[in-house]
Amino acid sequence: MTRLFVAVFPSEEAREHLRHRLRPVPARRSEKWHVTLVFLGDVPDDAAVVRALSETPPPAPFSLRLSGGGRFGPVVWAGLEGDVPALHTCQAAVRSSLATVGFPSDPRPFRPHLTVSYRFDRRLAAALTGYTGPPWTIEEFSLVSSVDGEYHRLWTG
């Protein structure tokens, strides 16, 4: 079984900008920073997921930027601004495509964010206060597997 999720990834410029803002406070590795659209968990057949996603139209290009932050318990996250309604539309399309082939997703409302750290640190929270990063363009989403804490993009469209 493979733990799968569908996500969009900030540009390298956006990740580097945030990484610079957070230095020298420990945070998650920036190459793992993403915005989860749908978390699927353990999936026995990722080929079926790829087929469903390949039939989902890619989003029309839209722009986001990392902005501010907050926390869920010990989790520290960066918020988003820009064309967030387009991100919601993209997430709904992915979720719908996956549901039609039997992959239901979390029924909770979509609250887009980028997890910076799974361990609360006041310095991270302070660094995110008032933060606004550079915009980046979303034109695709990716199916990602998580194996032993490493991420592998299985499909992008």
Side-chain angles (χ1 to χ4, degrees):
M1 299 267 239
T2 303
R3 294 173 59 89
L4 298 179
F5 60 92
V6 180
V8 296
F9 288 82
S11 67
E12 178 58 35
E13 177 189 13
R15 288 192 317 265
E16 180 59 31
H17 194 271
L18 180 59
R19 187 173 32 241
H20 180 74
R21 173 73 174 235
L22 299 178
R23 281 186 188 137
V25 185
R28 261 176 108 197
R29 294 187 347 237
S30 63
E31 66 271 9
K32 295 176 83 173
W33 288 345
H34 65 277
V35 178
T36 301
L37 299 177
V38 174
F39 180 77
L40 294 165
D42 293 330
V43 174
D45 179 14
D46 59 23
V49 176
V50 169
R51 281 192 302 276
L53 293 176
S54 66
E55 294 178 12
T56 306
F62 63 94
S63 180
L64 295 174
R65 70 174 62 225
L66 298 170
S67 177
R71 69 187 273 204
F72 305 126
V75 174
V76 179
W77 51 266
L80 297 166
E81 66 178 33
D83 199 353
V84 177
L87 182 64
H88 279 267
T89 299
C90 178
Q91 186 268 349
V94 167
R95 186 177 183 180
S96 176
S97 292
L98 292 170
T100 61
V101 294
F103 292 102
S105 56
D106 188 340
R108 292 179 291 183
F110 178 51
R111 300 195 196 293
H113 64 280
L114 182 143
T115 299
V116 173
S117 177
Y118 287 106
R119 293 189 181 128
F120 179 72
D121 185 313
R122 281 185 168 78
R123 297 171 296 171
L124 285 175
L128 289 168
T129 300
Y131 175 73
T132 301
W136 82 92
T137 301
I138 303 295
E139 298 178 279
E140 61 190 17
F141 52 86
S142 297
L143 176 64
V144 182
S145 70
S146 175
V147 179
D148 297 326
E150 295 299 319
Y151 292 171
H152 308 278
R153 291 189 204 193
L154 302 177
W155 178 90
T156 299

